[in-house]
Amino acid sequence: MVTAQRILISNAVRTNGATPNPWWSNAVVYQVYPRSFQDTNGDGFGDIKGITSRLDYLADLGVDVVWLSPVFKSPQDDNGYDISDYQDIDPMFGTLEDMDELLAEAHKRGIKIIMDLVVNHTSDEHVWFQASRDSDDPHADWYWWRPAKSGHEPGTPGAEPNQWGSYFGGSAWEYDPKRGEYFFHQYSKKQPDLNWENPEVRKAVYAMMNWWMDRGIDGFRMDVITQISKVIDENGKLPGEEGSLIADEPVGPEGYSSPFPFCSDGPRVDEFLAEMRREVFENREGYLNVGEAPGVTPSRNEHITDPANKELDMLFQFNHVGVDQVGSKWDTVPFEVKNLRREMSEQQKAVANAGWASLFFCNHDQPRVVSRWGDDSTEESRAASAKAFALLLHMHRGTPYVYQGEELGMTNAHFTTLDQYRDLEALNAYRQRVEEAKVQSEESMMDALALIGRDNARTPMQWDGSKYAGFTDAQAHREPWISVNPNHVDINAAAEFDDPDSVYSFYKQLIELRHTNQVVAAGDWQVIDEQAERVYAFTRSLGDERLLVMVNLSGKEAEVPAQSAALIEGLERGDFERQTLIGTHGTVHAAASLAKLGLSPWEGVAVRL
């Protein structure tokens, strides 16, 4: 098998504003969550050799880039996002030699490999942090250390430097008896934040990144990279800290204030990212650097991804995947098309003149979109809604990201008891919200976990209908680290691979369109029918070519909305099928829908105007 061929987008066609157009202008990225992708040694965890063994599958799908969630050495407190050694592979996943083999085999197939890098924080087991526990060590200022609040005994409640809470529950400060001070952690207490104000920290990070680039990887996806710069006052004090000139945010119902406003898209983010570009990427070609961007607005995305500013190629923004949440992540509300359209429109409009968008609904931190916003209650509605959201996403302007199993229409785990979950965030949130702060009932919290918990995306890849879904051998000596979804018997790669009507085959069509159609890859984007309740519609245009995209994001019949209907009137009825570029229900069905100006449940269509 070989990867699909991509056309070169003419430099007369603007993509992100660079000249020549970057190689990734019409590429598609596939995210692999290694511990859940393929286990080759029967220990219940996926490994690098497993990824290598499935490269032909990825080549057949047609993806251009594989992004690996972290495989660095780690205590696995947060599933590898707590790195203890940046220049070694965790034995769970294999060896550096296994990584070299993966790179070589992927490159033979025309597939690039980017690694997930976490440099906002490290593991508390990293040698840098262990050294920093000695206040006389050269690493003493590599993390955010602070003394106890005056008048309080260190290590006792209320002695924390300020009232910040961790996003994973509890205080964001952890007392270290050896140093006699507290260290700051936005996430787990085993994930202390690096102090990027210290230039020696940055030098060490860049040296490590260059080591990997020299080894042959093709770039990085950088975890929470827009949180590396913190707001501090003129004396270097954090908000709410004793003597700080900057006031903290109010304390919330769980008993803590949030560090998020002061640690996301901070005052030196642009400076740090530009420095990273110079020190790591400036004289290299063929790479991709993408950053996860908490707190970054669409307008800031334009600035950071504008090639003239030499920072990052693209960012992950999150407003559009928060449209069913209000306040806390765990307070959910029903999905409405208008809210998704509003947020995605802002992202698209912001990069209309410069910069680039990342397109995603699913990843290792998000649930399965087919269960979250689609309908997985029947096989028909599952496949139809999986295709509908796929068409919607891939017809936008930007770079699409496919999360493992998304191309099969994999669903949420549908766990019913807390002991089925493995995710630190979920378990901590349950303890804090239900048992300690008592701000949410057990029933509503379990409902929220079942809908949006991160473990929904982390169940093993469903390769076939065997006992462990082909993720590990049916006779393996250990069960998978997290339960296989029982519906793998029906939803799996083996069943979909040669089925022309499967979700998998539909994804192949979408990826091929991205590779071969300049309008889809780089054409202008314009939202229409902004008041439509069920249908999300927009146009794509490039020169004299124009496409109309309409997607019914509901399980009910929907009328073609007014502006879309007016555009269709310009077509000859006999041309409907010929003019349909792609449809979730097939081109014949799409032609009939266009003729009657009505879309079936979960039907999406892209038609040439």
Side-chain angles (χ1 to χ4, degrees):
M1 300 178 187
V2 294
T3 55
Q5 297 299 307
R6 290 186 295 123
I7 63 167
L8 293 176
I9 298 180
S10 165
N11 287 327
V13 176
R14 189 193 73 79
T15 57
N16 69 330
T19 302
N21 285 320
W23 63 267
W24 43 256
S25 299
N26 59 347
V28 177
V29 182
Y30 187 96
Q31 182 188 359
V32 166
Y33 194 68
R35 66 165 50 207
S36 297
F37 194 63
Q38 182 68 69
D39 173 21
T40 61
N41 61 7
D43 67 354
F45 297 94
D47 45 54
I48 293 173
K49 284 185 176 294
I51 300 167
T52 303
S53 75
R54 295 294 186 176
L55 285 173
D56 283 341
Y57 169 87
L58 298 174
D60 179 83
L61 184 60
V63 299
D64 308 281
V65 183
V66 169
W67 147 31
L68 302 182
S69 283
V71 292
F72 307 99
K73 194 169 184 180
S74 165
Q76 303 295 323
D77 182 62
D78 186 26
N79 290 3
Y81 283 86
D82 49 316
I83 298 170
S84 57
D85 188 340
Y86 287 107
Q87 291 175 225
D88 200 0
I89 300 296
D90 194 281
M92 172 192 296
F93 300 120
T95 65
L96 281 168
E97 289 71 27
D98 293 338
M99 187 67 195
D100 292 338
E101 180 187 21
L102 172 61
L103 290 170
E105 291 299 319
H107 291 163
K108 284 179 186 176
R109 293 161 174 81
I111 297 174
K112 292 177 180 285
I113 301 288
I114 64 173
M115 297 183 74
D116 207 329
L117 183 66
V118 191
V119 289
N120 172 72
H121 48 265
T122 69
S123 166
D124 65 346
E125 297 182 28
H126 196 288
V127 292
W128 296 347
F129 181 78
Q130 289 301 313
S132 78
R133 297 175 67 198
D134 179 352
S135 58
D136 293 324
D137 190 276
H139 295 81
D141 193 34
W142 281 41
Y143 295 83
W144 293 89
W145 290 99
R146 291 294 187 272
K149 192 178 297 182
S150 61
H152 292 74
E153 182 182 348
T156 62
E160 296 85 1
N162 66 15
Q163 294 181 302
W164 283 354
S166 161
Y167 311 136
F168 282 1
S171 174
W173 295 95
E174 183 71 11
Y175 181 67
D176 179 56
K178 178 179 179 181
R179 176 151 169 165
E181 291 186 317
Y182 289 84
F183 64 85
F184 173 56
H185 57 93
Q186 291 185 73
Y187 296 91
S188 162
K189 65 182 180 181
K190 287 185 67 63
Q191 294 171 296
D193 277 46
L194 281 165
N195 178 14
W196 274 67
E197 297 291 320
N198 186 331
E200 295 304 312
V201 169
R202 305 200 299 274
K203 288 178 185 177
V205 168
Y206 303 151
M208 172 269 297
M209 293 173 73
N210 275 305
W211 184 86
W212 275 108
M213 293 296 289
D214 291 343
R215 198 173 186 103
I217 71 165
D218 302 293
F220 298 97
R221 177 268 187 190
M222 288 171 271
D223 190 66
V224 297
I225 195 64
T226 53
Q227 294 186 322
I228 57 177
S229 171
K230 278 66 168 172
V231 172
I232 53 177
D233 71 10
E234 61 190 38
N235 300 310
K237 290 185 177 293
L238 295 164
E241 189 180 347
E242 231 175 345
S244 175
L245 302 176
I246 305 173
D248 195 4
E249 295 282 297
V251 171
E254 296 175 15
Y256 301 97
S257 59
S258 175
F260 190 86
F262 305 109
C263 298
S264 302
D265 199 16
R268 299 186 70 185
V269 161
D270 290 322
E271 175 190 345
F272 293 157
L273 294 179
E275 181 182 68
M276 179 190 291
R277 182 78 166 225
R278 291 192 304 272
E279 296 299 321
V280 180
F281 302 106
E282 194 67 22
N283 296 313
R284 301 183 188 271
E285 295 180 354
Y287 65 83
L288 172 64
N289 58 16
V290 54
E292 186 185 29
V296 169
T297 63
S299 61
R300 285 283 293 134
N301 178 68
E302 178 187 25
H303 177 90
I304 293 172
T305 65
D306 184 340
N309 296 321
K310 296 186 177 182
E311 295 185 33
L312 296 178
D313 295 326
M314 57 189 87
L315 295 176
F316 290 119
Q317 294 185 282
F318 297 100
N319 287 355
H320 70 292
V321 290
V323 296
D324 55 356
Q325 299 162 318
V326 176
S328 162
K329 169 179 178 173
W330 309 107
D331 293 324
T332 61
V333 296
F335 170 76
E336 293 186 66
V337 174
K338 66 179 181 181
N339 294 332
L340 180 64
R341 178 171 50 222
R342 179 189 67 246
E343 298 299 339
M344 293 193 73
S345 294
E346 281 194 31
Q347 294 177 16
Q348 291 283 296
K349 291 173 182 176
V351 292
N353 297 315
W356 200 243
S358 295
L359 308 173
F360 74 98
F361 289 141
C362 300
N363 63 32
H364 64 290
D365 285 334
Q366 302 296 329
R368 299 289 184 178
V369 70
V370 69
S371 299
R372 183 182 193 177
W373 298 335
D375 180 2
D376 66 3
S377 63
T378 69
E379 172 55 25
E380 181 181 13
S381 62
R382 180 198 67 86
S385 57
K387 292 178 184 179
F389 280 102
L391 178 66
L392 179 71
L393 187 79
H394 284 250
M395 294 304 293
H396 277 73
R397 187 171 184 273
T399 295
Y401 287 73
V402 180
Y403 179 70
Q404 66 181 48
E406 187 178 0
E407 77 281 8
L408 304 176
M410 278 179 60
T411 71
N412 275 0
H414 299 301
F415 290 154
T416 56
T417 61
L418 192 63
D419 62 5
Q420 292 174 291
Y421 290 94
R422 302 289 181 266
D423 180 30
L424 182 69
E425 179 192 47
L427 298 175
N428 284 353
Y430 183 93
R431 184 189 70 247
Q432 182 167 329
R433 295 181 64 79
V434 176
E435 297 174 349
E436 295 177 1
K438 302 185 187 303
V439 296
Q440 193 162 355
S441 71
E442 177 182 355
E443 181 182 17
S444 69
M445 188 66 188
M446 290 302 296
D447 287 345
L449 287 174
L451 179 67
I452 59 174
R454 301 195 301 181
D455 277 340
N456 285 302
R458 299 178 180 186
T459 56
M461 180 70 173
Q462 294 167 203
W463 296 108
D464 58 39
S466 63
K467 182 179 178 182
Y468 296 131
F471 163 70
T472 195
D473 188 271
Q475 307 304 318
H477 60 279
R478 289 184 61 180
E479 293 187 348
W481 70 279
I482 192 170
S483 298
V484 175
N485 195 320
N487 65 21
H488 75 275
V489 175
D490 301 307
I491 304 169
N492 60 71
E496 295 192 29
F497 194 80
D498 293 320
D499 179 358
D501 295 323
S502 68
V503 178
Y504 177 85
S505 294
F506 190 72
Y507 266 84
K508 287 186 66 173
Q509 294 179 57
L510 288 170
I511 292 169
E512 184 179 7
L513 273 178
R514 173 76 41 173
H515 287 163
T516 59
N517 189 304
Q518 291 196 138
V519 184
V520 172
D524 291 339
W525 183 95
Q526 180 64 52
V527 66
I528 58 174
D529 292 309
E530 295 184 75
Q531 304 306 313
E533 181 181 353
R534 298 175 188 163
V535 177
Y536 187 149
F538 53 90
T539 60
R540 301 296 309 279
S541 56
L542 182 62
D544 295 332
E545 297 182 70
R546 196 177 187 200
L547 301 176
L548 167 65
V549 180
M550 299 177 293
V551 187
N552 177 9
L553 294 179
S554 79
K556 300 178 181 179
E557 295 275 346
E559 292 184 0
V560 171
Q563 287 179 280
S564 297
L567 293 173
I568 294 171
E569 285 179 3
L571 298 175
E572 295 290 336
R573 285 180 175 263
D575 287 344
F576 283 167
E577 184 177 344
R578 182 174 61 84
Q579 292 296 103
T580 298
L581 186 66
I582 190 171
T584 56
H585 294 43
T587 56
V588 174
H589 194 287
S593 296
L594 293 173
K596 69 179 184 181
L597 294 179
L599 297 172
S600 296
W602 303 112
E603 182 173 17
V605 59
V607 59
R608 301 179 186 88
L609 298 175

